Amino acid sequence: MTATLIWILVALVAIGLYLSWTAGRLDRLHARIDAARAALDAQLLRRASVAQELATSGVLDPAASIVLYEAAHAARQAEEEQREVAESELSQALRAVFAEPQQVDAVREAPGGEEAARELTEAVRRVPMARRFHNDAVRAARALRRHRKVRWFRLAGHAPFPLAFEMDDEPPAALADRAA
């Protein structure tokens, strides 16, 4: 009788430790998502800022400057619900403005243009990486949250279900060639 109670107690302690470990793992994944989202937001802001600065520099032709400035401004001012669309539109504007390598060369030849082109190239290159890190963390958390043990014991607590950040982040060909 006492041996049975001891084995039941040991089993309950083992199950409790396993559930505690799983909850801790889920908590670490949520913290990783938060950190990755902050890094993604920083990269998106950097890209929009560099694009806006380049649009107001007078290096680009007026039509390209207006297109780029409006897309960058919309991306910086977008509400959370519209952020993915605004960032995708900025990517499309960057591809339209820098579709030809001659446009990048014109920016590089202007005073201070070499630095501006380098900053834009780096910003355009880092956004897809930051988005990939964020979406990988979201994917891992979603996979763990789908397990029955997590749902049955409510190990996720009140944390919202993580959402991936889906946007068009393809860089302009002229800038992508320079980054390689």
Side-chain angles (χ1 to χ4, degrees), residues 2 19 21 38 43-44 47-48 52-53 56 71-72 80 90 106 111 125 127-128 130 135 147 157 166 173 175 179:
T2 56
L19 291 175
W21 175 80
Q43 292 305 322
L44 292 171
R47 180 181 77 153
Q52 205 168 19
E53 182 180 315
T56 58
E80 192 61 35
L90 177 56
R125 182 179 54 84
V127 166
N135 289 349
H147 290 158
E166 297 299 332
L175 291 176

Side-chain angles (χ1 to χ4, degrees), residues 8 27 137:
I8 290 173
D27 187 51

Side-chain angles (χ1 to χ4, degrees), residues 133-153:
F133 288 140
H134 175 267
N135 289 349
D136 286 346
V138 166
R139 195 173 304 112
R142 282 179 165 183
L144 185 57
R145 285 182 72 154
R146 277 192 220 109
H147 290 158
R148 272 184 252 142
K149 67 180 177 268
V150 173
R151 290 190 319 255
W152 288 351
F153 293 101

Side-chain angles (χ1 to χ4, degrees), residues 5 10 28 45 56-58 66 78 83 88-89 98 114-115 117 119 130 133 141 144 150 161:
L5 288 175
V10 167
R28 287 188 301 276
L45 180 63
T56 58
S57 68
I66 290 171
R83 184 96 187 264
S88 293
E89 289 173 355
F98 295 105
E114 187 70 35
E115 179 69 21
E119 282 184 38
F133 288 140
L144 185 57
V150 173
F161 196 73

Side-chain angles (χ1 to χ4, degrees), residues 91 93-99 104 120 124 169-177:
S91 295
L94 285 167
R95 281 197 306 271
V97 170
F98 295 105
V104 177
L120 184 62
V124 163
D169 60 4
E170 184 181 335
L175 291 176
D177 293 341

Side-chain angles (χ1 to χ4, degrees), residues 12-162:
L12 288 176
V13 167
I15 291 170
L17 286 173
Y18 178 71
L19 291 175
S20 174
W21 175 80
T22 303
R25 181 172 166 225
L26 190 57
D27 187 51
R28 287 188 301 276
L29 283 172
H30 282 279
R32 190 171 124 202
I33 289 170
D34 291 342
R37 180 59 189 242
L40 175 61
D41 287 341
Q43 292 305 322
L44 292 171
L45 180 63
R46 180 173 182 236
R47 180 181 77 153
S49 297
V50 170
Q52 205 168 19
E53 182 180 315
L54 192 58
T56 58
S57 68
V59 175
L60 302 173
D61 63 271
S65 293
I66 290 171
V67 167
L68 193 58
Y69 180 83
E70 287 179 354
H73 182 70
R76 290 182 72 178
Q77 301 299 320
E79 296 292 323
E80 192 61 35
E81 300 83 34
Q82 299 298 319
R83 184 96 187 264
E84 294 172 351
V85 173
E87 294 295 344
S88 293
E89 289 173 355
L90 177 56
S91 295
Q92 292 166 1
L94 285 167
R95 281 197 306 271
V97 170
F98 295 105
E100 301 295 322
Q102 294 82 9
Q103 187 73 307
V104 177
D105 292 338
V107 169
R108 288 184 184 278
E109 291 169 3
E114 187 70 35
E115 179 69 21
R118 186 184 59 75
E119 282 184 38
L120 184 62
T121 302
E122 287 177 7
V124 163
R125 182 179 54 84
R126 289 180 179 169
V127 166
M129 289 189 303
R131 189 176 73 86
R132 196 170 310 120
F133 288 140
H134 175 267
N135 289 349
D136 286 346
V138 166
R139 195 173 304 112
R142 282 179 165 183
L144 185 57
R145 285 182 72 154
R146 277 192 220 109
H147 290 158
R148 272 184 252 142
K149 67 180 177 268
V150 173
R151 290 190 319 255
W152 288 351
F153 293 101
R154 300 180 193 274
L155 298 181
H158 296 290
F161 196 73

